[in-house]
Amino acid sequence: MSSTAHLTWFARHEFRLAWREWLAMMTGGRRRRNRAVIGLLVFAAILHLPAYAVVARYVDLRFPLDPSSLIVLTATIFLSWALMLSQAIESVTRVFYARADLDLIMSSPAKLTNIFSIRIAAIALTVSSMALLLSTPFIDVLVYLGGPRWLAGFGVVLAIGLSAAAAAIAVTAFLFRVIGPSRTRLVAQIVSAVIGAGFVIALQVVAVLSYGTLSRFAFLTSDTAARIAPAPDSLIWWPARASLGDIEIMLLLLAAALVLLGVVMAVFAPRFADTVASVAANPAAVTQGRARAFRSGSRQQALRRKEFLLLRRDPWLLSQSLMQMLYLLPPALMLWRSFSGTSTAIVLITPVIVMAAGQLAGGLAWLTISGEDAPDLVATAPLPPSRVTRAKIEVVLIAIATVFAPLVVALTFASPQQAAVTAIAIIIATASAAAVQLWFRAQAKRSQFRRRQTSSRIATFAEAFSSIGWAATAALALTIPVAALVSGIMTLLTLAIAWKISPRQI
Amino acid sequence: MTSQLSALALRGLTKRFDRPAVDALDLTIHVGEFYALLGPNGAGKTTTLRMVAGLLRPDAGSVSILGVDALADPVAAKQIMAWVSDEPMIYDKLTPLEYLEFVAGLWGIDPRTSEKSARNLLISLGLEPHLNERCEGFSKGMRQKVALAGALVHDPRLIILDEPLTGLDALSARHVKGLLQERVRTGCTVIMTTHILEVAERMADRIGVIASGRLIAEGTLNELREQNGRNDTTLEDMFIALVDTEAAAA
């Protein structure tokens, strides 16, 4: 086989792997390829409706825009880039650590620089393809209503995807160099999570501090932002100008992204083999625990202690907790400001907190109830299964109480009634999330957490709708109590349907 | 070494998946006995033991562990029994000592007793340098040893092991075998499945051969030789002959 044929063959192999990984993610590993493809096409078709609702009013936009619109458009593009960067970092980490074929590749006589160049390109194309898939309905609507100039949007999305993948590889390689292979996985997960949400949260923080609102658009559309914005011919506006149909700038951006990716491939592909080798040489850090005496207590206490210890040492939980803390930063700031003013916007804190509690509880409940690494041990222990389940649910409730109690206490000083409503809603949202996990529990390793959402789509949607529903109910209880009744009943109905179709009706 | 009390009595134990996995199995194992359960892949060994351990509900039959009806009172049966699967299931983020503390807590053992016992067990299995290291970096053999120590820390009277020597080096395997024989000497009963027939030949008081969910031969090594009609044959030869005969009959 010639060198070119060899590379083409490996590229095909990489894309087949990427396709199957995606398929497994979509189908929960159930090999329903045709249904997944049809589902995806239907989803893309349906997405044209919300796309129409969102972008139809912007079809006549042309450069030059007013500063506020330009800032909002650029910020949206930057947010998309940040989200793609987050996804790309996650992909790069997975390729470094999780691919089962690394030993095979490393021991093969193939030229590793070429092989890893293709793998980097595959990551870039996978990230870009996903972005293209999601953006196509929006661009379709714009092209249909506003003309072919909007086709430039595809080029912008591709440029964003390629540059995000290049940046992700550089970031991960940098982390390897600075903190070593064993810590990179955890830190990369956290960086990925924080990058994804950081930009929006930062905008909210600025909005809270400057305007007393949680709206992230408050700052972007403010006079201050317009005043400090660069001139219209600045490079900063190039992505916005390209997406508005400036073909020349779009081609320049695409070329720049390709050059960036090329440079990253040239610089990092030769080192990739060393990186993989160093990961293999450091499969896990030797972490010394504290030597201390065994503790006494009941069997449930032993279970709870074990769960807390594992949660404390869980990298996912660490990153998610940090994320929750970040998400809670804007409402916490708002709460703090409300002590010195009479802002009515403080009501908005309640749904944010309840939503965060529901989401965190869902993850915690999965980790404690389904993510049991020694199921045989627990099942052969001399205590009834109901007591095991109870101990695990108690862990979720205690963890949620620990995270959210300080906020509720602080809220009590601002508004005791709102604090009471928030506390009740947190308890209900947590209990609902734990119940959904119980109904749909499927034994798995904790390390499979990433795939938990694909194991049961119904559970995922039920958990999300429950969190959103209880958040809305709590907000309405503070503003329009009658509407809260309707919202609460609808959320209960959602849970009842989930229970009815769940494999375990308990 | 053995008394005639029954540590485990199975009567008509049955489990069907697509086909019968365990087919009306009768089996009696005496207290203080080291019993090796052999059989080809898919014979029903693991299914049988998982039903005994309370991990699978039988379709029919009874399980009695030291006189306790394991189906009617599973908690009491589990209190006196330990199960070690072929795939060591431990927590990556716990140290061996933390793991054993958890197991002892689950079985409600006094921490003053269990701590000393845990340390001794781990040290006897060669894990002393790793007592306070998280298990995430351990080899399969080390994980198997931690799981085995977990099974022994609550001092069970019946130990059920599914392929416990898989992945262990020669020295570790010897440690494990020594530990199990020591337990048998103190009156504990051990039931073990293994594909290493030499281990069964050397260690087991009695050997049972299972195929297609049924017990096709049982006895001491000499009894099996007599049943087979040849006094100089090895367990491996007998096993293959038994399984071939069973396959031909099926």
Side-chain angles (χ1 to χ4, degrees):
Chain A
M1 202 185 279
S2 73
S3 175
T4 315
H6 197 264
L7 288 180
T8 315
W9 166 82
F10 189 72
R12 275 209 311 272
H13 167 73
E14 279 299 300
F15 288 117
R16 188 169 54 207
L17 280 184
W19 164 246
R20 288 189 182 171
E21 269 180 17
W22 178 85
L23 204 62
M25 193 102 81
M26 289 292 119
T27 62
R30 293 185 198 94
R31 296 187 181 190
R32 295 172 184 160
R33 191 178 68 172
N34 292 343
R35 283 168 67 173
V37 172
I38 292 168
L40 182 71
L41 291 174
V42 170
F43 175 70
I46 292 172
L47 208 57
H48 282 76
L49 291 173
Y52 178 84
V54 173
V55 298
R57 72 193 99 154
Y58 301 121
V59 287
D60 295 327
L61 277 187
R62 281 178 187 279
F63 193 79
L65 297 172
D66 63 279
S68 289
S69 303
L70 206 50
I71 292 169
V72 169
L73 184 57
T74 303
T76 307
I77 293 170
F78 180 75
L79 175 65
S80 312
W81 186 84
L83 291 173
M84 277 191 239
L85 177 63
S86 164
Q87 195 204 338
I89 290 176
E90 209 274 329
S91 296
V92 175
T93 316
R94 197 166 63 236
V95 168
F96 274 141
Y97 285 96
R99 281 273 174 89
D101 62 356
L102 286 174
D103 280 359
L104 177 68
I105 289 172
M106 296 283 284
S107 62
S108 78
K111 197 176 175 193
L112 293 177
T113 303
N114 292 344
I115 293 279
F116 287 128
S117 293
I118 289 176
R119 192 153 265 190
I120 290 171
I123 293 172
L125 281 181
T126 309
V127 171
S128 305
S129 305
M130 191 53 94
L132 279 171
L133 191 77
L134 291 173
S135 58
T136 295
F138 295 88
I139 298 173
D140 280 354
V141 169
L142 289 168
V143 171
Y144 180 71
L145 297 174
R149 73 183 169 99
W150 287 105
L151 284 171
F154 285 116
V156 176
V157 173
L158 199 58
I160 293 173
L162 297 177
S163 59
I169 287 155
V171 166
T172 316
F174 173 75
L175 286 174
F176 261 85
R177 179 160 288 197
V178 175
I179 58 174
S182 56
R183 289 196 197 131
T184 295
R185 189 177 198 177
L186 170 63
V187 175
Q189 278 174 342
I190 295 171
V191 168
S192 150
V194 169
I195 285 174
F199 180 59
V200 173
I201 291 163
L203 284 177
Q204 278 188 324
V205 168
V206 173
V208 169
L209 290 175
S210 313
Y211 307 98
T213 167
L214 278 172
S215 169
R216 62 194 73 109
F217 290 106
F219 173 72
L220 295 177
T221 53
S222 67
D223 291 340
T224 314
R227 211 168 36 248
I228 59 173
D233 57 350
S234 166
L235 281 176
I236 284 181
W237 312 125
W238 273 27
R241 289 174 65 180
S243 61
L244 288 169
D246 192 325
I247 299 292
E248 201 176 311
I249 289 179
M250 183 274 285
L251 289 173
L252 280 171
L253 282 177
L254 198 54
L258 281 168
V259 168
L260 185 64
L261 186 66
V263 169
V264 164
M265 280 160 78
V267 172
F268 293 107
R271 298 180 193 174
F272 209 86
D274 296 335
T275 304
V276 172
S278 62
V279 172
N282 296 274
V286 174
T287 314
Q288 291 285 340
R290 251 182 327 148
R292 47 154 185 72
F294 280 21
R295 286 163 292 186
S296 57
S298 68
R299 291 161 211 248
Q300 286 100 313
Q301 276 177 317
L303 260 170
R304 284 198 297 267
R305 267 203 304 265
K306 182 270 284 185
E307 291 297 343
F308 279 125
L309 201 55
L310 291 180
L311 289 178
R312 273 215 313 270
R313 294 176 182 174
D314 195 291
W316 170 84
L317 193 69
L318 197 63
S319 62
Q320 284 303 301
S321 302
L322 282 171
M323 280 275 289
Q324 298 293 343
M325 295 301 142
L326 275 176
Y327 279 125
L328 291 173
L329 191 63
L333 272 173
M334 205 164 168
L335 185 59
W336 171 66
R337 278 175 59 87
S338 74
F339 289 127
S340 56
T342 53
S343 170
T344 51
I346 192 178
V347 169
L348 284 174
I349 292 169
T350 293
V352 175
I353 294 175
V354 174
M355 177 87 183
Q359 289 298 295
L360 188 59
L364 284 171
W366 187 91
L367 280 170
T368 54
I369 293 165
S370 293
E372 173 61 64
D373 282 349
D376 281 7
L377 174 73
V378 176
T380 55
L383 73 169
S386 59
R387 278 163 71 187
V388 174
T389 306
R390 203 172 72 193
K392 291 183 171 227
I393 291 173
E394 282 165 1
V395 168
V396 177
L397 293 174
I398 294 168
I400 292 293
T402 310
V403 173
F404 292 93
L407 275 172
V408 174
V409 170
L411 198 52
T412 312
F413 291 105
S415 164
Q417 186 214 353
Q418 189 179 346
V421 169
T422 308
I424 293 166
I426 287 173
I427 293 167
I428 296 174
T430 304
S432 303
V436 169
Q437 286 303 326
L438 261 182
W439 300 333
F440 290 90
R441 91 179 103 162
Q443 202 62 60
K445 301 275 281 179
R446 293 172 86 91
S447 54
Q448 291 170 327
F449 184 84
R450 268 188 68 248
R451 304 214 159 186
R452 84 182 173 106
Q453 278 150 338
T454 60
S455 63
S456 171
R457 299 244 170 265
I458 299 167
T460 305
F461 284 121
E463 198 184 294
F465 283 134
S466 150
S467 294
I468 294 166
W470 292 126
T473 305
L476 290 168
L478 294 166
T479 49
I480 319 164
V482 179
L485 197 65
V486 177
S487 167
I489 290 169
M490 281 172 65
T491 312
L492 276 176
L493 271 175
T494 308
L495 287 168
I497 293 167
W499 174 78
K500 188 70 190 161
I501 55 180
S502 70
R504 288 159 201 266
Q505 295 177 15
I506 50 172
Chain B
M1 189 186 295
T2 63
S3 76
Q4 291 309 301
L5 282 171
S6 123
L8 175 68
L10 308 181
R11 296 288 170 262
L13 196 69
T14 304
K15 185 74 190 176
R16 279 188 70 90
F17 295 113
D18 330 339
R19 59 186 178 79
V22 178
D23 192 3
L25 181 69
D26 290 336
L27 181 69
T28 303
I29 297 167
H30 307 300
V31 169
E33 198 170 37
F34 196 122
Y35 191 94
L37 191 60
L38 312 181
N41 293 329
K45 305 182 296 293
T46 301
T47 306
T48 302
L49 296 187
R50 288 182 74 82
M51 284 191 280
V52 173
L55 294 166
L56 264 181
R57 187 95 191 154
D59 294 336
S62 67
V63 179
S64 169
I65 295 165
L66 291 150
V68 177
D69 183 340
L71 301 180
D73 191 357
V75 172
K78 287 172 180 177
Q79 184 67 51
I80 49 178
M81 175 176 55
W83 157 261
V84 182
S85 77
D86 57 339
E87 195 59 45
M89 290 181 177
I90 57 174
Y91 301 100
D92 284 350
K93 299 287 176 192
L94 296 189
T95 68
L97 271 178
E98 287 168 343
Y99 176 74
L100 265 60
E101 180 190 10
F102 170 57
V103 178
L106 273 185
W107 262 260
I109 310 295
D110 182 344
R112 283 166 299 184
T113 317
S114 59
E115 183 171 4
K116 195 175 164 206
S117 165
R119 282 181 186 280
N120 288 341
L121 274 168
L122 291 169
I123 290 167
S124 71
L125 286 165
L127 288 171
E128 189 173 12
H130 311 288
L131 291 183
N132 293 305
E133 281 175 17
R134 290 190 197 169
C135 299
E136 56 200 347
F138 285 11
S139 67
K140 191 186 173 193
M142 289 163 78
R143 298 166 74 86
Q144 187 73 13
K145 287 194 263 186
V146 174
L148 183 69
L152 300 179
V153 75
H154 53 89
D155 214 8
R157 291 164 65 194
L158 173 65
I159 306 169
I160 306 169
L161 307 113
D162 191 13
E163 294 287 347
L165 303 178
T166 310
L168 294 185
D169 59 54
L171 188 64
S172 303
R174 177 169 283 191
H175 279 146
V176 171
K177 285 186 276 186
L179 209 58
L180 293 175
Q181 280 173 325
E182 192 184 302
R183 291 286 164 147
V184 170
R185 273 196 292 275
T186 59
C188 182
T189 308
V190 173
I191 309 171
M192 181 175 89
T193 70
T194 182
H195 288 295
I196 311 170
L197 300 185
E198 194 194 359
V199 170
E201 197 168 351
R202 281 191 189 177
M203 294 178 69
D205 297 316
R206 282 200 305 148
I207 296 163
V209 181
I210 192 170
S212 306
R214 289 181 292 113
L215 197 64
I216 56 170
E218 189 187 42
T220 63
L221 191 57
N222 285 334
E223 285 167 353
L224 288 177
R225 280 182 178 141
E226 280 169 24
Q227 286 169 29
N228 204 37
R230 287 178 62 181
N231 286 335
D232 57 344
T233 190
T234 63
L235 179 60
E236 187 179 335
D237 294 334
M238 284 189 291
F239 176 77
I240 291 169
L242 280 165
V243 171
D244 281 350
T245 310
E246 181 66 19

